[in-house]
Amino acid sequence: MLATKIRLKRIGRKNRPFYRMVLIDSRKKRDGAAIEQLGWYNPISDEKDCELKSERIIHWLNKGAQPSKAAKKLIKNNGIAFEWHLMKSGADEKEIQKQLKKRDLDMAAAKKKKKENSKVDVKQKKDEKESVQASKEENKLSS
């Protein structure tokens, strides 16, 4: 068995990175020949688009492939690490699907809450800025 790694392979032009998530022999270069392509990641887009083949990633993780730091982060953010954890803990398929659905709902709620908080923060900063400007004008008028 080869010492395999799941890592990102850079493609794309200068200053416009685009990555493929690949399974590769750990002794190969970053952009060397891959054993299998497992997905892609676009760090330039606003949503940081990413598409991964979860079944194949889990298959290779079970065979002992080690993800790099960047690959591990993408795997975790897409919920594949959680699914793999549930599979390793012995949960049945129905329970795994239930837990993944619950996770997706929790993530959506957290994203919505974060968006609302950022809107409130922007409004507070704007109000603060206006009040500071108003106090400066009052100071100019009084002196």
Side-chain angles (χ1 to χ4, degrees):
M1 182 74 189
L2 292 172
T4 55
K5 284 230 172 228
I6 297 174
R7 63 185 184 207
L8 299 178
K9 179 178 182 175
R10 185 183 164 134
I11 56 176
R13 67 175 201 247
K14 185 177 173 183
N15 295 326
R16 301 285 297 172
F18 189 87
Y19 297 95
R20 285 191 182 139
M21 185 175 286
V22 295
L23 179 77
I24 195 166
D25 183 358
S26 64
R27 296 166 290 189
K28 298 258 184 180
K29 296 180 198 174
R30 177 192 72 180
D31 296 336
I35 297 169
E36 183 177 349
Q37 183 177 328
L38 303 171
W40 56 266
Y41 169 59
N42 183 4
I44 299 294
S45 72
D46 294 337
E47 299 87 33
K48 302 234 186 271
D49 294 331
C50 176
E51 187 176 308
L52 304 176
K53 299 176 185 174
S54 60
E55 302 85 29
R56 296 304 297 164
I57 291 172
I58 290 171
H59 167 80
W60 285 108
L61 289 172
N62 284 331
K63 288 201 171 205
Q66 296 296 314
S68 67
K69 287 181 182 179
K72 190 180 281 188
K73 186 176 179 182
L74 287 174
I75 290 169
K76 182 180 175 188
N77 289 342
N78 283 296
I80 299 170
F82 183 59
E83 184 177 355
W84 187 51
H85 164 73
L86 291 173
M87 290 174 83
K88 281 178 47 178
S89 67
D92 63 333
E93 190 63 34
K94 193 174 181 180
E95 179 65 25
I96 290 172
Q97 292 304 321
K98 182 180 169 186
Q99 291 290 333
L100 289 174
K101 192 165 193 118
K102 182 177 182 245
R103 179 194 176 274
D104 289 342
L105 291 173
D106 291 345
M107 295 294 284
K111 197 177 218 182
K112 185 178 178 183
K113 187 175 180 180
K114 184 177 179 180
K115 191 174 185 179
E116 288 172 0
N117 286 344
S118 68
K119 285 181 182 178
V120 170
D121 289 343
V122 168
K123 188 176 181 181
Q124 286 175 348
K125 287 179 183 178
K126 186 178 178 184
D127 292 343
E128 239 177 61
K129 192 175 183 179
E130 289 173 357
S131 65
V132 167
Q133 287 177 347
S135 64
K136 284 182 181 179
E137 288 177 14
E138 288 176 14
N139 289 342
K140 286 181 182 179
L141 292 175
S142 63
S143 47

